[in-house]
């Protein structure tokens, strides 16, 4: 926090006038000394980490379990049980993302105007029931229908959770927390292998059901239970969360204003932020970059099948899928922590993809068991290590207004997941064990990410130089800003805070 901002946080009667007709919600925070504010802020973040961050993390673990348990189910025999060819299985994987892409953008716009504590658990309850129903399907058509609906409903969660996090945390706090959220995908994938191994060894044939059916029924039922609990724990927005005191709400709002010079609210016209997001050409570069990252990460949908080429039995294959995701989890959190600490996003996207390229090349070139397993760790850790950094970077750039940020993260995530539709066909059974086409495509798209990231870094650094020279304003460079008034802050002080803003590259 700059000295100017620290000073403005101290009690100063003349620095906190209210707009005519508006109550000053943040007065309690403005009137604190710097030491009092720091203590209140620390207490608030602890409460948010325990209730918001931990809740959405557990929800995302279940989100990934329910989305990707079909990969473990393939090893457990779903394709054979439903008489599916490898192309039909690929379609079952891909069709989820058709629904997923369609609902991303409208869902985040809905969320920005609703109560997250009800909306996110509500959609989680529905996707849990849909996932459980996969366990009783008896043909490919039923699987296609349930997978499409599952994707349609699940679309609300990940961009919605990222958006909710960015509505509570400062820019220098978002990266590591976005990574912690995203680590739920790695843990979900790791748990998927462990749970599936346990079910395969202990429940195959129980009540006349194959083990793959129990995978969906058990995990879907657990999802519904967790969703009900989450409805009582999650916050809404900084200005209206009921389990915070008025002073805590004031601190939550004021620290966001101090970070960007704008309140994290809109004036009621959702179309303004939506249009601002789509009019910003940088959004399309971010979306293309994320699409390339998702192509390089698509191995997750087939990872148990790739690991199966090492020649182990079903249970051991499922157990061997766990370590790569644990490594990916640790790398993702550490990488995002470093990105926040160093205030750098670009280089923290580049190096994991360079590692992934090494993995793809080894996987396509070698049949040595040890080398191939190292390659699998590298390509999973590399692809996942850059994912959360990119989405946090989008939010740090497309910061205000709230609807713009919501639209931006949903658009980028939707475009990125288009890749899951076509990449699902890169792993036919007859291309095992090397999967040369898939590994070549993954390496090429990883290289494209590196190029696009360097380009965006150059763009944002040039924007910062223009701001430093006074050639342009933050609102011009940000392609718009929040239209809501900031109660208790004069227009002059608001302008000063905005002009302190610099893009993170």
């Amino acid at each position: 926090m700059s000295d100017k901002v620290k000073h403005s946080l101290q009690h100063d009667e003349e620095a906190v006038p209210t707009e005519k007709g508006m109550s000053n919600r943040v007065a309690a925070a403005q009137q604190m000394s710097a030491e009092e504010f720091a203590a209140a802020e620390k207490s608030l973040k602890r409460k948010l980490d325990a209730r918001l961050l931990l809740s959405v993390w557990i929800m995302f673990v279940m989100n990934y379990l329910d989305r990707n348990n079909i990969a473990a189910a393939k090893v457990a025999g779903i394709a054979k049980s439903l008489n599916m060819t490898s192309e039909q299985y690929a379609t079952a994987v891909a069709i989820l993302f058709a629904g997923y892409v369609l609902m991303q953008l409208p869902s985040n716009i809905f969320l920005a105007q609703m109560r997250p504590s009800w909306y996110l658990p509500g959609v989680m309850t529905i996707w849990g029931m849909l996932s459980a129903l996969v366990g009783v399907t008896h043909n490919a058509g039923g699987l296609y229908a349930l997978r499409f609906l599952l994707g349609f409903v699940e679309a609300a969660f990940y961009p919605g959770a990222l958006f909710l996090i960015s509505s509570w945390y400062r820019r220098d706090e978002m990266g590591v927390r976005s990574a912690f959220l995203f680590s739920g995908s790695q843990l979900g994938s790791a748990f998927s292998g462990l749970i599936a191994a346990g079910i395969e060894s202990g429940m195959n044939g129980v009540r006349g059901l194959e083990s793959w059916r129990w995978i969906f029924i058990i995990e879907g039922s657990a999802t519904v239970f967790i969703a009900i609990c989450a409805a009582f724990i999650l916050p809404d927005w900084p200005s209206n969360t009921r389990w915070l005191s008025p002073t805590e709400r004031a601190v939550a709002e004021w620290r966001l204003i101090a970070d960007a010079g704008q309140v994290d609210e809109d004036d009621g016209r959702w179309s303004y932020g939506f249009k601002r997001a789509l009019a910003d050409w940088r959004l399309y570069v971010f979306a293309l970059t994320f699409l390339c990252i998702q192509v390089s990460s698509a191995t997750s949908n087939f990872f148990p099948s790739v690991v199966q080429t090492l020649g182990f039995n079903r249970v051991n294959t499922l157990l061997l899928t766990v370590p790569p995701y644990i490594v990916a989890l640790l790398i993702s959190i550490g990488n995002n922590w470093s990105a926040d600490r160093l205030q750098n996003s670009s280089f923290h996207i580049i190096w994991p993809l360079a590692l992934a390229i090494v993995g793809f090349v080894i996987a396509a070139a070698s049949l040595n068991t040890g080398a191939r397993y190292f390659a699998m760790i590298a390509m999973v850790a590399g692809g996942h290590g850059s994912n959360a950094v990119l989405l946090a970077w989008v939010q740090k750039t497309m910061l205000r207004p709230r609807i713009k940020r919501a639209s931006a993260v949903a658009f980028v995530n939707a475009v990125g997941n288009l890749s899951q539709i076509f990449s699902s066909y890169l792993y036919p059974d007859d291309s095992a064990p090397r999967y040369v086409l898939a590994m070549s495509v993954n390496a090429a798209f990883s290289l494209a990410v590196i190029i696009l990231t360097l380009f965006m870094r150059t763009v944002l650094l040039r924007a910062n130089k223009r701001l430093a020279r006074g050639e342009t304003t933050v609102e011009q460079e940000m392609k718009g800003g929040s239209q809501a008034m900031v109660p208790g802050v004069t227009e002059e002080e608001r302008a000063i805070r905005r002009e302190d803003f610099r893009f993170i590259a």
Side-chain angles (χ1 to χ4, degrees):
M1 192 181 295
S2 69
D3 291 338
K4 188 185 303 178
V5 172
K6 287 180 180 177
H7 176 73
S8 69
L9 290 173
Q10 297 175 356
H11 177 58
D12 184 344
E13 294 269 331
E14 296 180 359
V16 290
T18 56
E19 302 290 345
K20 186 176 181 180
M22 297 178 66
S23 61
N24 185 1
R25 299 194 309 251
V26 297
Q30 289 173 314
Q31 294 169 5
M32 290 179 180
S33 68
E35 293 76 15
E36 290 172 333
F37 185 84
E41 187 178 33
K42 185 177 181 180
S43 174
L44 174 68
K45 284 194 291 184
R46 280 200 301 265
K47 188 175 289 189
L48 289 174
D49 288 342
R51 296 193 63 151
L52 166 58
L53 196 60
L54 187 58
S55 294
V56 294
W57 180 77
I58 294 172
M59 293 168 78
F60 195 39
V61 169
M62 302 310 298
N63 181 273
Y64 235 74
L65 274 175
D66 292 332
R67 184 193 315 178
N68 283 354
N69 51 17
I70 192 172
K74 186 183 181 186
V75 174
I78 186 174
K80 182 178 179 181
S81 179
L82 299 184
N83 299 313
M84 297 170 68
T85 64
S86 63
E87 289 77 15
Q88 287 176 313
Y89 173 80
T91 299
V93 172
I95 201 168
L96 178 142
F97 294 98
Y100 193 79
V101 167
L102 286 173
M103 194 57 183
Q104 294 264 303
L105 192 52
S107 177
N108 250 24
I109 292 174
F110 296 156
L111 176 60
Q113 301 173 84
M114 298 177 68
R115 288 181 57 188
S117 62
W118 286 99
Y119 183 71
L120 293 179
V123 297
M124 186 180 185
T125 300
I126 297 171
W127 94 57
M129 291 188 292
L130 289 170
S131 181
L133 286 173
V134 174
V136 298
T137 191
H138 290 281
N139 53 62
L143 180 61
Y144 294 161
L146 287 169
R147 291 281 294 175
F148 175 81
L149 292 173
L150 181 63
F152 192 81
V153 178
E154 278 200 350
F157 182 72
Y158 185 47
L162 280 173
F163 172 47
L164 184 58
I165 286 173
S166 70
S167 298
W168 284 93
Y169 292 100
R170 294 162 52 93
R171 286 182 300 152
D172 59 356
E173 300 164 348
M174 276 196 291
V176 71
R177 287 169 174 83
S178 296
F180 182 77
L181 171 64
F182 187 69
S183 73
S185 68
Q186 288 108 47
L187 201 64
S189 298
F191 277 173
S192 181
L194 285 174
I195 294 170
I199 293 172
E200 171 65 26
S201 63
M203 295 196 67
N204 193 21
V206 173
R207 296 186 178 275
L209 299 177
E210 301 104 315
S211 59
W212 68 263
R213 295 185 184 277
W214 282 114
I215 291 173
F216 291 104
I217 293 170
I218 291 172
E219 293 177 3
S221 300
T223 295
V224 173
F225 173 75
I226 291 171
I228 294 171
C229 295
F232 298 96
I233 300 172
L234 282 177
D236 291 311
W237 308 114
S239 62
N240 65 354
T241 293
R242 290 174 296 181
W243 45 261
L244 291 178
S245 68
T247 298
E248 288 174 321
R249 290 197 293 268
V251 170
E253 288 196 88
W254 185 238
R255 68 194 218 98
L256 295 178
I257 294 170
D259 185 40
Q262 301 179 68
V263 69
D264 191 33
E265 291 184 359
D266 300 301
D267 64 354
R269 294 185 292 112
W270 68 266
S271 59
Y272 169 79
F274 176 71
K275 290 175 181 177
R276 287 295 86 207
L278 296 185
D280 191 338
W281 66 268
R282 295 170 304 189
L283 178 66
Y284 301 94
V285 179
F286 279 129
L288 179 59
T289 305
F290 193 59
L291 183 145
C292 295
I293 290 177
Q294 290 295 86
V295 171
S296 67
S297 302
T299 309
S300 298
N301 295 322
F302 295 84
F303 195 59
S305 298
V306 175
V307 175
Q308 196 171 31
T309 65
L310 297 177
F312 297 96
N313 62 34
R314 281 186 179 183
V315 173
N316 287 338
T317 292
L318 291 168
L319 290 174
L320 283 170
T321 64
V322 177
Y325 286 110
I326 298 300
V327 174
L329 183 154
L330 296 174
I331 286 179
S332 180
I333 293 178
N335 191 42
N336 280 266
W337 175 84
S338 176
D340 277 354
R341 185 177 179 84
L342 299 177
Q343 291 294 282
N344 173 284
S345 295
S346 53
F347 294 150
H348 290 80
I349 292 172
I350 290 171
W351 81 260
L353 270 301
L355 175 65
I357 290 173
V358 173
F360 296 136
V361 171
I362 293 174
S366 175
L367 290 177
N368 179 272
T369 300
R372 286 180 63 77
Y373 196 61
F374 166 79
M376 292 172 191
I377 293 174
M379 60 193 188
V380 170
H384 287 277
S386 60
N387 192 306
V389 181
L390 189 280
L391 288 175
W393 198 16
V394 171
Q395 296 187 89
K396 292 172 184 178
T397 304
M398 310 288 178
L399 194 62
R400 301 286 185 266
R402 179 188 290 175
I403 288 287
K404 180 182 178 181
R405 191 174 73 255
S407 301
V409 71
F411 180 82
V412 169
N413 202 49
V415 171
N417 279 284
L418 285 172
S419 66
Q420 306 282 359
I421 298 174
F422 66 81
S423 62
S424 298
Y425 295 93
L426 297 175
Y427 297 82
D429 292 343
D430 58 9
S431 67
R434 296 180 187 268
Y435 294 102
V436 174
L437 176 61
M439 300 304 161
S440 301
V441 170
N442 292 346
F445 275 81
S446 297
L447 180 60
V449 173
I450 293 172
I451 295 170
L452 289 167
T453 299
L454 289 173
F455 170 74
M456 185 54 69
R457 173 180 173 82
T458 302
V459 168
L460 295 180
L461 288 178
R462 287 181 176 175
N464 285 344
K465 289 179 180 178
R466 289 194 296 271
L467 289 170
R469 293 192 297 261
E471 297 174 0
T472 185
T473 67
V474 170
E475 191 163 284
Q476 289 171 328
E477 293 291 352
M478 202 181 285
K479 316 297 182 187
S482 175
Q483 299 299 292
M485 304 297 287
V486 183
V489 183
T490 65
E491 182 55 42
E492 181 182 3
E493 186 179 7
R494 191 182 310 167
I496 291 172
R497 290 178 185 280
R498 278 200 300 264
E499 296 315 308
D500 280 343
F501 175 87
R502 293 295 182 270
F503 290 107
I504 292 172

